[in-house]
Amino acid sequence: MELNAAARAAFDAMSEGITIIDTDGIIVFGNRAYRNFLNKEAGGDIGPIEGYRLRDLRPGARLPDVLEKGKPILHQTRQEIQDFYFVNMYPIYEGERLIGGISVVTFLEDAYQAKEELEAAEARSKQVLRRLNKANGARYTFDDIVAVSPEAMRVKELAQRIAATEATVLLESESGTGKELYAQAIHNASARSAGVFVAINCANFNANMLESELFGYAEGAFTGAKRGGKMGLFEAAAGGTLFLDEISEMDIGLQAKLLRVLQERRVRPVGGLKEVDVDVRVIAACNADLPQYVRDGKFRKDLYYRLSTFPLHIPPLRERPADISPLANSILNELSHKLRRPFTLTDDAVECLQAHDWPGNVRELRNALEFSAYLTPSGVISRAALPSDLLRQHEDAGLTLAQRTRNFEKREIRRLLDKNGTGLEGKKKTAAQLGISLASLYNKLNASEF
């Protein structure tokens, strides 16, 4: 077996010690790093080593064992008089014919240097992750949660106590109540605040896609899989918090895999053979009735109990009217910074906001105020500047069902007449769209003030 000049030059450039022997155990090549190692051990220059039997120079050498078995020997640690090193040994085949063996020696000094470089790279990565986390991840703290009513204050205080633990948290509440706001606040008040906060909405993925997103996948796991595989969110959130929103919509089969991850703290990537340890705190959230889902067989009972170690129910806005005004002021302060002009609410606007039942909760309140802010150049938001849906409900407050029905009829007739016109043809079209006769329409117009 012979090496050309290019191969010799490449091996000589390496810091690892390289030794190549033929099938008789004769040294075919030893690179500069390996010869320096031998000279150091011998206390002087031992001269050329090629052509000598390896075990004549090093009686304990195990590279010849590789020739006997035809299989590699990996991750061996050896210690000589002055040096400690790691060695991997491989057989060399030409087709199916064994023609020799090669050993690769990594010296302790190089291993330490590599370890220090890896640690430095890891530290830099953690700094980048912290900056990304603060910029794009968990931005909110408990200072951002407005809680004036006793109901909201109790939930906020409980969440602050839970944040100090490592327990899994389940946020159960209606849509728009601020579940992710609470999840971020819990993360930032926990011992994991320096780690990343990763959020995923389980309702946005089918079962297979969600599994690969959460657990990652190995190379070749499925058609279209990325070369080298992909890290899952459980690994990406290591040392931090993983927020699973809309967990009620997770496939029942995937729920079993999630339960095992929560119990074992290990994940197996899709198509992978090895499990990976994960150190993640999980916060789950849903706006569905999970106990009812359990009864209906759509959610695993064991997973529900595992998630609900600390259940937190965020009350809807209609159950805490005392929070509406301070919440509105907080939102308007944000809008003031965004639009660079101050905003205030008139008393009649506040009264109208408090009369609304807010089915969309805080999200709906934010949308209503943003709508009003954009349409109010003066910055003073009065009742008239609020969305029409809020005004209609305010008008109907305190009325009987018959009175509310009449008001609804008036609004619909007015809307269609505005669209179709108040002439004869417009009235005919309006009556047809309402499913009543033209005479009935005239009766309603005569009985109401338009």
Side-chain angles (χ1 to χ4, degrees):
M1 179 171 48
E2 295 183 0
L3 270 71
N4 60 32
R8 289 173 176 271
F11 283 133
D12 272 334
M14 296 173 62
S15 60
E16 292 85 0
I18 305 295
T19 314
I20 300 176
I21 61 173
D22 62 17
T23 52
D24 295 321
I26 304 298
I27 299 174
V28 175
F29 175 76
N31 74 343
R32 182 180 293 109
Y34 188 72
R35 294 195 302 271
N36 290 340
F37 165 66
L38 292 180
N39 290 337
K40 184 178 179 181
E41 292 298 319
D45 188 355
I46 64 172
I49 62 173
E50 295 177 3
Y52 287 88
R53 190 175 302 276
L54 177 61
R55 279 187 170 158
D56 289 342
L57 295 179
R58 301 184 61 75
R62 295 196 59 191
L63 185 55
D65 296 338
V66 171
L67 301 179
E68 294 178 10
K69 298 179 180 179
K71 296 181 179 179
I73 299 175
L74 305 177
H75 314 306
Q76 296 294 300
T77 57
R78 304 292 297 274
Q79 184 172 8
E80 301 298 334
I81 298 174
Q82 300 182 44
D83 287 280
F84 183 84
Y85 59 90
F86 310 90
V87 60
N88 288 331
M89 293 159 278
Y90 308 89
I92 302 173
Y93 286 92
E94 189 174 70
E96 296 184 357
R97 185 170 66 93
L98 180 68
I99 62 172
I102 182 172
S103 70
V104 181
V105 177
T106 301
F107 301 106
L108 182 63
E109 182 179 350
D110 294 332
Y112 273 134
Q113 182 178 352
K115 179 175 179 291
E116 290 173 356
E117 291 174 354
L118 284 173
E119 288 176 346
E122 183 179 5
R124 289 193 297 269
S125 296
K126 286 182 177 179
Q127 290 175 353
V128 172
L129 283 173
R130 289 192 193 100
R131 288 197 293 269
L132 287 173
N133 183 46
K134 295 303 179 186
N136 304 311
R139 296 178 294 135
Y140 298 110
T141 69
F142 281 109
D143 291 338
D144 296 303
I145 296 177
V146 176
V148 175
S149 66
E151 298 84 359
M153 288 178 64
R154 279 195 295 269
V155 174
K156 182 176 179 179
E157 290 169 0
L158 178 58
Q160 288 173 312
R161 292 200 299 270
I162 292 172
T165 74
E166 282 286 298
T168 303
V169 181
L170 177 62
L171 300 170
E172 298 177 290
S173 61
E174 295 179 6
S175 179
T177 50
K179 293 185 288 293
E180 184 161 355
L181 172 64
Y182 265 88
Q184 292 188 18
I186 290 171
H187 168 79
N188 281 325
S190 73
R192 296 176 175 268
S193 59
V196 296
F197 176 90
V198 179
I200 184 171
N201 190 314
C202 300
N204 291 343
F205 302 88
N206 63 37
N208 292 333
M209 290 180 62
L210 183 58
E211 182 178 4
S212 63
E213 287 292 319
L214 292 176
F215 307 142
Y217 57 78
E219 183 174 347
F222 49 83
T223 303
K226 291 182 180 180
R227 185 176 181 181
K230 177 183 176 181
M231 177 186 291
L233 295 184
F234 268 95
E235 286 186 75
T241 302
L242 178 59
F243 176 53
L244 303 177
D245 200 6
E246 304 292 356
I247 196 168
S248 57
E249 307 312 304
M250 180 180 288
D251 175 77
I252 193 80
L254 186 54
Q255 291 175 27
K257 297 179 181 180
L258 174 61
L259 175 63
R260 187 175 184 279
V261 171
L262 295 177
Q263 291 174 335
E264 304 297 329
R265 296 289 178 179
R266 296 172 68 83
V267 299
R268 176 178 294 169
V270 176
L273 299 177
K274 294 183 179 180
E275 292 188 329
V276 180
D277 292 327
V278 290
D279 173 27
V280 176
R281 181 183 195 172
V282 170
I283 300 177
C286 70
N287 56 27
D289 185 350
L290 269 190
Q292 184 61 50
Y293 269 44
V294 171
R295 290 190 291 271
D296 293 341
K298 295 192 294 185
F299 202 84
R300 293 179 62 100
K301 182 186 294 186
D302 46 9
L303 178 58
Y304 174 69
Y305 288 136
R306 184 66 181 79
L307 290 171
S308 59
T309 305
F310 280 110
L312 272 179
H313 175 72
I314 307 170
L317 199 52
R318 65 180 175 275
E319 294 180 5
R320 46 189 180 110
D323 290 328
I324 292 175
S325 181
L327 270 169
N329 289 328
S330 176
I331 293 168
L332 288 177
N333 284 336
E334 293 179 29
L335 291 172
S336 294
H337 289 294
K338 180 180 178 180
L339 302 180
R340 298 183 179 180
R341 52 195 173 97
F343 293 101
T344 58
L345 286 167
T346 61
D347 292 341
D348 63 340
V350 173
E351 183 183 350
C352 188
L353 293 177
Q354 291 176 332
H356 190 57
D357 60 5
W358 299 109
N361 292 292
V362 180
R363 184 182 294 122
E364 183 186 1
L365 175 61
R366 179 179 295 277
N367 290 343
L369 291 173
E370 190 163 359
F371 169 87
S372 302
Y374 276 109
L375 298 180
T376 310
S378 68
V380 179
I381 300 175
S382 65
R383 175 182 174 280
L386 296 174
S388 58
D389 289 346
L390 272 68
L391 298 179
R392 284 198 292 270
Q393 183 164 336
H394 182 58
E395 290 172 356
D396 291 344
L399 299 180
T400 65
L401 179 59
Q403 290 170 326
R404 294 186 186 192
T405 301
R406 284 196 295 273
N407 281 347
F408 175 76
E409 283 188 350
K410 287 173 60 176
R411 286 194 293 265
E412 284 300 292
I413 292 171
R414 184 186 296 118
R415 181 178 67 83
L416 290 174
L417 287 175
D418 289 342
K419 178 181 178 182
N420 299 328
T422 57
L424 180 59
E425 291 303 317
K427 288 175 180 175
K428 286 181 179 180
K429 188 174 182 180
T430 296
Q433 290 173 339
L434 292 172
I436 61 177
S437 67
L438 183 59
S440 295
L441 176 61
Y442 275 113
N443 288 335
K444 292 180 182 294
L445 291 174
N446 292 331
S448 303
E449 295 181 3
F450 281 87

